[in-house]
Amino acid sequence: MKTLFSIIMILVGAFCQAQTKFTARPQAIPHQETPTLTIGSKAPDFRLPNYDGKFYSLKDFASAKVLLIVFTCTHCPTAQAYEDRIKKIVTDYKSKGVAVVAISPNSPNGLLLEELGYTDLNDDFDNMKVRVKEKQFNFPYLYDGDTEAASIKYGPVATPHAFVFDSQRILRYNGRLDAIENPSKGANAEDLRRALDEVLAAKEVTTPVTKTFGCSIKWAWKTEYNEKNEKNWQSRPVTLQEIDTEGIKKLVKNDDSDKLRLINVWATWCGPCVMEYPDFLDIHRMYGARDFEFVSVSADKLEKKEKALKFLKEKHSGVKNYIFKDEDIYKLIEAIDPKWNGALPYTLLVEPGGKVVYGIQGSIDNQKIKRMIVDHPKIGRYF
């Protein structure tokens, strides 16, 4: 019985290891050159996990007359702008024998919070799965962010970057889908379609190489900006200003700015407030360079101001921080939102002019808030 139990435990351990192998934290990868694969080169093989956990390699597309590999990602505004065009390529060319596979080359280690201003998701495996579900991708979307082994061999320079291989898996085209990023302008991946049509017809590709435009590949060894950026953020001055009832009303009215304003009322004695507060700072860092700002309002008693300020400094809260200075806390409640019954935390998302987009008593749904911000007309996912 003991032997049987040992065998079972070994098998369970092996299964868990296999399931988590591709979701592990990205590895430290030494700096190296990443030249783009040249026309006439053979397609390098790979073995990468799809969003559903299934692994793919070149042999899984062996029956295709043409193989299209698109290096793309979740966070990039340009990549998001081309998602529907990639889906349409799949629909239009599947019956012609074209197989399409997307690969996410980015290491989350190389991605700054400040680079996430056009998205609600980063480029790790779990966030990639969320985007697939939201957009209903009709193609395999493979993750290479842990080792970037396949991406290094292909050498994409931006997301998205397309590579077209013929039936012998010889590279015939690499470059853009088309020259117009914004999907509202009516482009339909004309450059890529022309290349696919010519390869299918066994013709020479008229323009085998085109320049790409988009977000740079986030190679794992490019972390110097992360470190510098983090130091810059932590060096920002942290202050705590006193604010009265009229000041709170003005904050909520939001007629002194043209920014979407996220207001969080919190207190040092409120456990959920303290736990979720760093999420608000991440949100500010993501969207703060755009028409957005995060403002914190402490509901601590004024005599606890130093305690509140100490907390804010520990969290590096280099944003607009206020503490309510009136004795009557119910004035704060009414000024923030008459429908609020006073339980903390409380969060409001307010447009310029005072229209409340969203209000919630209790902890926020972090993902929901970010999606609401980026999909708001003041922000948006594209340039």
Side-chain angles (χ1 to χ4, degrees):
M1 181 66 70
K2 185 176 181 181
T3 302
L4 178 60
F5 177 79
S6 299
I7 293 172
I8 291 173
M9 291 305 293
I10 290 171
L11 291 173
V12 169
F15 175 78
C16 292
Q17 184 178 23
Q19 292 297 302
T20 60
K21 184 176 180 181
F22 55 85
T23 61
R25 182 175 176 79
Q27 301 173 16
I29 304 172
H31 184 280
Q32 51 201 291
E33 297 301 317
T34 57
T36 301
L37 199 67
T38 55
I39 299 299
S41 299
K42 191 82 172 176
D45 204 0
F46 52 81
R47 186 175 183 273
L48 296 172
N50 191 29
Y51 61 87
D52 59 4
K54 178 183 176 181
F55 280 79
Y56 282 83
S57 60
L58 282 181
K59 67 181 180 181
D60 293 295
F61 309 100
S63 62
K65 295 178 182 178
V66 174
L67 175 61
L68 166 61
I69 299 178
V70 181
F71 286 85
T72 187
C73 70
T74 303
H75 90 276
C76 174
T78 309
Q80 292 179 78
Y82 280 95
E83 288 171 337
D84 288 334
R85 274 170 274 187
I86 297 172
K87 288 172 62 178
K88 192 69 165 54
I89 287 284
V90 174
T91 301
D92 293 347
Y93 282 86
K94 185 176 181 179
S95 63
K96 299 178 182 180
V98 175
V100 179
V101 59
I103 296 176
S104 178
N106 288 348
S107 168
N109 286 349
L111 189 60
L112 305 176
L113 277 169
E114 285 76 4
E115 292 180 286
L116 302 178
Y118 290 81
T119 182
D120 55 323
L121 301 166
N122 66 35
D123 284 342
D124 68 22
F125 184 77
D126 289 335
N127 279 259
M128 190 180 88
K129 291 192 292 185
V130 173
R131 189 61 178 168
V132 169
K133 184 176 180 180
E134 287 177 349
K135 291 296 294 184
Q136 293 294 299
F137 288 168
N138 55 357
F139 50 86
Y141 189 17
L142 313 183
Y143 180 69
D144 192 29
D146 285 355
T147 68
E148 299 184 304
S151 303
I152 289 169
K153 295 175 184 176
Y154 282 81
V157 298
T159 50
H161 191 156
F163 293 77
V164 176
F165 297 90
D166 64 20
S167 60
Q168 303 302 308
R169 298 303 176 255
I170 301 300
L171 182 63
R172 302 287 303 282
Y173 174 84
N174 94 69
R176 66 195 184 199
L177 280 74
D178 59 50
I180 302 175
E181 177 186 8
N182 195 312
S184 67
K185 302 296 184 180
N188 192 31
E190 286 83 2
D191 294 291
L192 178 56
R193 286 174 179 268
R194 186 180 302 111
L196 289 171
D197 291 341
E198 289 174 338
V199 174
L200 284 168
K203 297 179 180 179
E204 288 297 316
V205 176
T206 304
T207 308
V209 178
T210 57
K211 294 181 178 180
T212 59
F213 175 83
C215 303
S216 61
I217 305 302
K218 308 308 174 189
W219 301 112
W221 53 85
K222 291 187 176 181
T223 59
E224 64 273 14
Y225 291 113
N226 302 51
E227 296 159 5
K228 181 179 179 180
N229 193 57
E230 198 61 32
K231 288 180 181 178
N232 287 341
W233 174 259
Q234 293 185 12
S235 68
R236 288 166 65 113
V238 178
T239 60
L240 182 57
Q241 301 178 54
E242 296 178 14
I243 190 169
D244 60 14
T245 303
E246 290 305 311
I248 292 294
K249 289 180 179 178
K250 189 174 181 181
L251 270 182
V252 175
K253 192 174 181 181
N254 195 16
D255 60 359
D256 58 343
S257 82
D258 60 352
K259 296 183 177 182
L260 195 62
R261 179 175 288 167
L262 183 64
I263 305 171
N264 174 242
V265 186
W266 63 281
T268 56
W269 46 261
C270 165
C273 300
V274 171
M275 291 293 292
E276 74 175 359
Y277 193 82
D279 291 337
F280 288 106
L281 297 180
D282 285 351
I283 289 171
H284 178 83
R285 292 177 67 177
M286 288 172 66
Y287 307 113
R290 306 192 65 195
D291 291 329
F292 172 86
E293 66 174 352
F294 166 63
V295 177
S296 84
V297 178
S298 171
D300 286 283
K301 295 293 185 182
L302 195 56
E303 58 264 28
K304 300 293 184 181
K305 181 178 179 180
E306 287 305 313
K307 181 180 179 181
L309 180 58
K310 180 183 177 183
F311 169 81
L312 292 171
K313 287 182 175 179
E314 289 173 349
K315 301 303 178 184
H316 305 290
S317 184
V319 299
K320 295 178 181 177
N321 303 299
Y322 297 98
I323 185 168
F324 188 62
K325 70 177 185 179
D326 291 349
E327 283 292 324
D328 189 350
I329 198 67
Y330 290 97
K331 289 183 179 180
L332 170 64
I333 295 171
E334 291 300 317
I336 288 287
D337 187 351
K339 293 181 287 186
W340 174 30
N341 70 17
L344 292 178
Y346 195 76
T347 304
L348 282 178
L349 184 62
V350 187
E351 292 180 353
K355 180 181 177 181
V356 175
V357 178
Y358 182 69
I360 182 172
Q361 178 174 280
S363 297
I364 62 168
D365 181 331
N366 191 22
Q367 192 62 50
K368 182 177 181 179
I369 287 284
K370 288 189 288 188
R371 188 177 299 118
M372 199 171 296
I373 292 168
V374 76
D375 287 332
H376 190 276
K378 288 288 293 181
I379 309 299
R381 294 179 181 269
Y382 314 124
F383 290 122

